[in-house]
Every structure is written in structure tokens, then in C-alpha cells.
Amino acid sequence: MSLRIEHVILHHLRLGADGALTAETRGEELLLREQVVHLVEQLHQTYQQKSNKSYAVFASIQQEGSSDFKTLLTSFIEKDAGFISFSVAATNILLDKLAKYDIPEEGVVIFCKYNVVGVDYILLGLLGRELSITLTPTLDIEEVNHFDVSKMQLMARIDLTEYQLSPDSNRYLSFIKGRAGRKVADFFLEFLGAEEGLDQAMQNRLLVKALHTFCQEEALEPEASLESKARVQAYCKEQLQAGDDIEMKAVAACLPDEKADDFYAFVETEFGLADSFPPSRSALRSLTKYVGSGGGVNLSFDAKLLGERIHYDPTTDTLTLQGIPPNLRDQLQQAMK
């Protein structure tokens, strides 16, 4: 991986005997040893592949109670403040916001600035520690603390290059929503002094709707429509796995050659889709599948089966399925006995 690290520092948030969080800050950056480089590479790769990111921008008008994070970042970018002082001040803001939202998260706060293929990033957040058992060289057993990077919950990343070159962008700042959903979203927005930017889920839903609508309006043959949607889904899946954006020109190229330019113009004028945006696994699934749940019933089947093995009668609101999956058939036959 072409990843060049400039700064890394850790601070510690610890719960005291009174249940209050306190910050133990470090006065020196970490030396870029092999283990440190490996950790940053893992964090970058894991963050890239997370599909539950939200996007934001720094608020143009700071509300009462908003943080000074943007001011701290500006001081660092303009070299009025060093990386250590920036990270310590930001950690104290994080501590205040965790207390305000009653999120008693102990852990290690990490700040790192690095460059990947010409793009500068600052990644920051709270990493939880877990105990594990290890075998020593003398065949003894001991407990060690380790970071479980795959379970990152409170993380944010700033694309410094985009922020400086395109300040009107709506996606230079992103964060992991985490397990608490809206509460964590509110918390992170306030911590960063930001407001919501690009709506990733909405862009993906609009893409799915645009594709369905275009295929209907252009009266594509059912087989051509299904093949086009399958190609789009395969492309989007590749982008998701690589941690890359969906590019609308690449999506248009998945349609029949004579329809590609028409589709690109269609999504731009009728749906207002961005030229590129991150993929969302759940939204894109509906390109080639029908999925629904409710009343104790969960259904999912390939779109190509509708009208073949699966038939829908809107007058009676019933589905008729021909050819039940063998494992389901076995369960039903056992139940009938």
C-alpha cells in the first residue's frame, strides 16, 4: 500500500472511581515503528470499507455549544499549532462531548495524518481495547491488551486535500455512525462542529430508482433490463469491496451501448445524482432482488424469477411460488407429520 504517515499520537480516556471520564494525554508523537505503520494501514483499510459512514461539512454558522474543532484544525493546517497541541485540544473537546451525551466510552484516542496516492487525510477516533491470551517465548500464558480495529465505533476522517481545494464539497468529512445510530451521529456532528453533507443512503436509493425508471421508460426488453441491472450491481459490489466510489459514467457504461449516454443525462436532469458517491450494500441489493419483511414473514428472491417461478396477483395480494427450496420443503414436510 502506498501510504505515507506523517504524524501519529495516542491519548487515553479512562473512567475514574467516581464514574467520570478523564483524559491522559501524551506529550510525544509515536515513532513510526513497524507496528505503528501496520496499525495505521489497518485503520485506513477498515475505514475505507465501512459502509455505515455518514458525510458532513463544517457548519457555516456555528451554533451555541458547537466545538472549536474547525478552529483547531485550521491552526494546524496553517502551521500556527503543532500536531500534538492540536490532538490534545481536540481530545479535551471529545471528552466534553462524551460527558454531555452520557457516552461512557473508555479507550485510546488516536490521531494520525497520512497520505495515500496524493491525498492527505486526518483520521481520528476512539479505539476500544480488549484483553486476549497470548503464549510467551518461554511457553507461559499472559494477558495482553489489543485493538480490535474491525469493531471501530467512534471514528472520523477528514480529506484535507478536498477540504482545501474544494471547500464547497459536501463530503470532505466523514464519520462512522456506530452502534447507537442517531445518538452517535448527533454526538459526532457536535464534536466536529459540523452538519450533514452528502446523504450516501439517499444517493444509492436514487440510483436504484433511476435505473428501474429508465428501463421502464425506455421499454427495455426484460432480459436486457435484468442484465443491465446485474452488471450495475456487480460493478457497485466491486467498488464497495475496494472502498471506492460509484462513478455514474461507469454505471452508464453497464447499460446497452446505445442507451449509455441517455442514461447519464437522465440521472443528471431527472434525479440530480452526484457524479460519484460511496456505495451502500443494502440499497443496491434491490437492483436484482425483491426483498420484504413484516408480520413474521421475510421474503427475498431474484428479480428474474418474477413471472417465471413466482407470480404475483395484485387483486388478491398473493404470491404463488413454484419449486420450493429443498431445505424449506424438508422443514414443511416434517411439520406436516
Side-chain angles (χ1 to χ4, degrees):
M1 177 189 296
S2 179
L3 189 150
R4 179 169 54 82
I5 303 170
E6 295 181 30
H7 307 281
V8 186
I9 195 168
L10 302 177
H11 305 298
H12 192 197
L13 296 185
R14 189 192 302 273
L15 277 172
D18 59 354
L21 276 175
T22 58
E24 298 175 2
T25 56
R26 179 183 170 97
E28 296 179 347
E29 296 182 28
L30 296 179
L31 297 176
L32 298 182
R33 296 179 292 117
E34 180 181 351
Q35 297 92 327
V36 174
V37 173
H38 182 59
L39 173 62
V40 175
E41 288 177 345
Q42 276 192 306
L43 287 170
H44 172 75
Q45 289 177 330
T46 303
Y47 192 90
Q48 279 284 98
Q49 295 169 359
K50 285 287 185 180
S51 60
N52 62 331
K53 292 194 287 286
S54 287
Y55 292 83
V57 297
F58 290 122
S60 54
I61 301 176
Q62 293 297 307
Q63 303 295 325
E64 185 178 350
S66 295
S67 78
D68 294 322
F69 183 87
K70 181 182 177 182
T71 303
L72 296 174
L73 179 66
T74 301
S75 295
F76 170 67
I77 292 173
E78 296 178 352
K79 296 183 169 49
D80 292 331
F83 188 76
I84 296 173
S85 59
F86 160 67
S87 70
V88 170
T91 297
N92 287 324
I93 293 175
L94 177 64
L95 184 66
D96 290 342
K97 299 305 176 185
L98 284 168
K100 174 182 175 180
Y101 280 85
D102 193 26
I103 304 176
E105 288 281 352
E106 282 190 302
V108 175
V109 185
I110 185 167
F111 290 81
C112 46
K113 182 178 184 292
Y114 59 93
N115 182 287
V116 178
V117 292
V119 179
D120 287 324
Y121 294 104
I122 286 183
L123 184 72
L124 63 145
L126 189 62
L127 296 174
R129 297 184 305 165
E130 295 188 359
L131 281 177
S132 62
I133 305 299
T134 188
L135 184 66
T136 69
T138 58
L139 300 183
D140 199 358
I141 298 293
E142 66 179 24
E143 289 185 334
V144 294
N145 279 304
H146 76 282
F147 297 128
D148 190 345
V149 173
S150 65
K151 294 181 181 178
M152 61 170 62
Q153 293 290 342
L154 302 175
M155 297 294 293
R157 189 175 71 179
I158 304 155
D159 184 330
L160 289 176
T161 301
E162 183 162 355
Y163 175 52
Q164 292 176 279
L165 297 179
S166 305
D168 293 332
S169 167
N170 61 357
R171 50 176 299 182
Y172 55 74
L173 198 161
S174 63
F175 61 94
I176 301 295
K177 279 189 174 180
R179 59 182 178 273
R182 187 68 253 174
K183 183 177 181 181
V184 172
D186 291 341
F187 154 75
F188 248 107
L189 288 172
E190 190 169 313
F191 161 57
L192 297 166
E195 57 193 13
E196 291 189 20
L198 177 75
D199 190 330
Q200 174 187 359
M202 179 61 72
Q203 290 287 307
N204 280 265
R205 288 195 295 268
L206 283 176
L207 171 59
V208 172
K209 184 178 180 180
L211 195 57
H212 287 317
T213 303
F214 183 80
C215 289
Q216 290 174 349
E217 292 188 2
E218 294 293 314
L220 264 64
E221 293 292 330
E223 185 174 345
S225 176
L226 287 171
E227 286 180 0
S228 297
K229 292 172 184 176
R231 284 196 293 269
V232 171
Q233 188 185 53
Y235 161 71
C236 293
K237 185 177 180 180
E238 289 177 1
Q239 299 302 96
L240 181 66
Q241 291 173 340
D244 293 332
D245 284 355
I246 295 171
E247 302 286 343
M248 291 311 302
K249 288 187 177 179
V251 171
C254 294
L255 275 72
D257 292 341
E258 68 277 9
K259 299 293 183 182
D261 290 340
D262 292 340
F263 178 73
Y264 185 74
F266 175 74
V267 296
E268 187 177 36
T269 57
E270 299 295 326
F271 285 85
L273 279 165
D275 280 340
S276 65
F277 50 87
S280 169
R281 182 180 288 107
S282 58
L284 295 168
R285 185 175 56 171
S286 60
L287 276 172
T288 57
K289 286 184 178 292
Y290 291 107
V291 180
S293 62
V297 176
N298 292 290
L299 286 174
S300 172
F301 60 89
D302 291 342
K304 63 183 179 181
L305 298 180
L306 188 64
E308 295 182 3
R309 288 175 50 200
I310 298 176
H311 303 272
Y312 175 58
D313 184 348
T315 59
T316 60
D317 196 27
T318 56
L319 279 177
T320 302
L321 169 64
Q322 296 174 316
I324 296 173
N327 57 345
L328 177 58
R329 184 192 309 117
D330 292 343
Q331 295 174 62
L332 294 174
Q333 289 176 344
Q334 185 65 32
M336 294 298 292
K337 293 180 182 179

